[in-house]
Amino acid sequence: MEQKSKIMKEGYMRSPQRSLLYALGLTPEEIDRPLVGIVNSFNEVVPGHMHLRGICDAVKAGVRLAGGTPLEFPAIAVCDGIAMGHVGMKYSLASRELIADSAETMALAHAFDALVFIPNCDKIVPGMLMAAARLDLPCIFVSGGPMLAGKLAGKVLDLNSNFEASGAFAAGKIDAAELMAIEQNACPTCGSCSGMFTANSMNCLTEVLGMGLAGNGTVAAVDSGRLRLAKQAGMQVMKLLEADIRPHDIMTAAAFKNALTADMAMGCSTNTVLHLPAIAHEAGVELNLDMVNELSEVTPHLCKLAPAGEHHIEDLQAAGGMTALMAELAELGLLDTTVMTVTGKTMAENIKGAKVLDANVIRSKENAYSQKGGLKILRGNLAPDGAVVKRAAVAPEMMTHTGPARVFDGEEEAVEAITGGKIKAGDVVVIRYEGPKGGPGMREMLTPTSAIQGMGLGESVALITDGRFSGATRGAAIGHVSPEAAEGGLIGLVEEGDEIEIDINAGRLNLNVAEDVLQKRRAAWQQPEPKIKKGYLAKYAQRVTSASTGAVTVR
């Protein structure tokens, strides 16, 4: 086993470095062993991360059991739910790049031999996967696990229930006491929010990519099995180091295709269309949006978890977890099971003998919710470079829709109009200048989409934006419109009352305005002043690329 850390700790010229390791309390025996960085995103702000000290301690125990020396360092984490609906959300997607860059900095500055990543919530998982692909050191992932669903008066709740309840309260459908009851019961435990939202989507797809052990995406945060999984991950990273198995051996083109296929089968968050291409970019693999539609056409929609359906992550775990889902997809010939994984075995070996334990949660192809996948990429004059919708969470009445544009140059204006009763059945709400550059930061739009649902307009109003949506969003919510308004995209030329045509199954998104009229508008359009002119977001806006390429930053 070659130790990369020897460059930092061996020889008489490294005596000062060893002195600093002794200052940490390390013994000569610990210094002599492989040094394993434990990247822990614990903080006291995010419910998905508040318990990660315990997970980290379990990982360290596993590393020590297998003969390594664990050294913990932190990563930042933004709670999308807390940041939602105000300026804080501008920092969420942008934090993904900070997480990747900081993990790279710590790993290379301190010459770690291997890494264990402990993420949990939305941007932390992809940020750490980007770092893993970039560094290509032996590494493994173990998430903090999902939150349990809430329960109230016989109903199952999650964070999205609360967002929609706010809209229902604005519409006078529930009173303050009912809102408070939902508020206090929707999020009952630590962990990543309990539906197939972005965090759980990415933690589940980490299993499919081969970078996490079985259960990484589905064992509950409060289950003792999560601690056992963490210990196993700590032990397994030492085996990966011994065998010199690295992310580039695992995160191959075939592995990313597998992840997209599982994504279609589960109807994951639309944010996966941002994150998987960004991770692939770091791994030297090209993913384009057309692959989403290609795989969606041949992949049945087998799982319908919240917000699209009634089941939650705990139900997926009880049904056999991702191992059972992968086995079902492999049986249909939809996965390349020869790919290597962090177990040191192929996917085929990992899923051998796995069975679906609840056919209501993981359906068969014959009983699928749809014979096509959960996501759809739309194109047209409004989105020549693409836009995305969670087809699995769209009401049948809204699969095709033509209506007048209601135009807002920012989320706050739109929310005020929706909750103020100014949006009517048939409208198409357009929220622009919220893209990666124009936002900056490409805010999620859970507040307006939930308000639409809560106001009882989910089956009659569409929303399109150059921003993005939470994994908790449902309805005809079309995001990632590219090019974005701030880069001169057509969405910036839409005017109040213009007719917008949406055909989700056909993959079309068009503005029905004559070309000569658009030319006049384009000639009069002016580049808006940046909304933020200093600090990290100002630098981010200068470097970030289109949503259609994963909103990666260029160096």
Side-chain angles (χ1 to χ4, degrees), residues 2-18 21 31-35 107-113 137:
E2 181 182 354
Q3 289 189 34
K4 181 181 175 67
S5 60
K6 287 182 178 180
I7 195 173
M8 175 269 290
K9 66 185 183 182
E10 285 199 350
Y12 70 90
M13 289 298 291
R14 295 295 180 255
S15 179
Q17 285 85 344
R18 290 194 297 275
L21 294 176
I31 294 171
D32 188 54
R33 294 171 181 168
L35 301 183
L108 296 182
H110 303 102
F112 284 111
D113 297 299
L137 292 171

Side-chain angles (χ1 to χ4, degrees), residues 72-89:
E72 176 188 352
F73 62 89
I76 64 168
V78 171
C79 178
D80 280 21
I82 295 174
M84 195 74 66
H86 58 92
V87 69
M89 180 47 70

Side-chain angles (χ1 to χ4, degrees), residues 243-283:
D244 196 30
I245 297 174
R246 299 170 181 257
H248 285 195
D249 300 316
I250 297 170
M251 288 195 281
T252 61
F256 281 103
K257 186 176 179 182
N258 286 343
L260 277 175
T261 298
D263 193 344
M264 298 306 108
M266 293 188 293
C268 290
S269 164
T270 52
N271 283 313
T272 60
V273 178
L274 278 177
H275 299 322
L276 287 175
I279 300 161
H281 173 77
E282 296 289 354

Side-chain angles (χ1 to χ4, degrees), residues 335-353:
L335 298 180
D336 181 343
T337 60
T338 66
V339 294
M340 179 55 63
T341 72
V342 289
T343 64
K345 302 175 182 179
T346 65
M347 179 187 285
E349 294 173 291
N350 291 343
I351 65 176
K352 186 177 180 181

Side-chain angles (χ1 to χ4, degrees), residues 310-482:
E310 61 182 15
H311 299 123
H312 289 78
I313 299 297
E314 61 202 71
D315 301 311
L316 178 58
Q317 168 66 11
M322 291 303 296
T323 305
L325 177 65
M326 285 188 278
E328 189 74 16
L329 292 171
E331 185 70 23
L332 297 174
L334 295 174
L335 298 180
D336 181 343
T337 60
T338 66
V339 294
M340 179 55 63
T341 72
V342 289
T343 64
K345 302 175 182 179
T346 65
M347 179 187 285
E349 294 173 291
N350 291 343
I351 65 176
K352 186 177 180 181
K355 296 186 182 301
V356 173
L357 304 179
D358 188 340
N360 291 317
V361 177
I362 304 175
R363 293 190 174 189
S364 65
K365 182 179 189 299
E366 294 71 27
N367 192 37
Y369 289 100
S370 167
Q371 293 305 314
K372 296 182 180 181
L375 299 183
K376 183 71 175 181
I377 300 299
L378 311 182
R379 294 186 187 272
N381 67 349
L382 254 182
D385 294 340
V388 64
V389 64
K390 184 186 281 195
R391 173 166 54 185
V394 179
E397 300 92 326
M398 293 300 293
M399 296 301 287
T400 59
H401 181 78
T402 300
R406 305 298 309 278
V407 183
F408 305 95
D409 289 345
E411 178 184 3
E412 289 82 359
E413 294 178 24
V415 171
E416 184 178 350
I418 296 165
T419 57
K422 297 178 181 178
I423 302 302
K424 307 300 182 186
D427 287 347
V428 178
V429 176
V430 177
I431 305 177
R432 61 190 181 191
Y433 295 106
E434 290 286 8
K437 287 184 182 294
M442 202 179 184
R443 286 195 285 182
E444 288 185 341
M445 300 290 165
L446 181 57
T447 301
T449 58
S450 296
I452 286 171
Q453 295 291 335
M455 298 285 286
L457 297 171
E459 296 178 359
S460 60
V461 168
L463 188 153
I464 69 170
T465 180
D466 52 9
R468 60 193 180 90
F469 298 112
S470 164
T473 289
R474 62 190 179 103
I478 299 165
H480 307 194
V481 171
S482 301

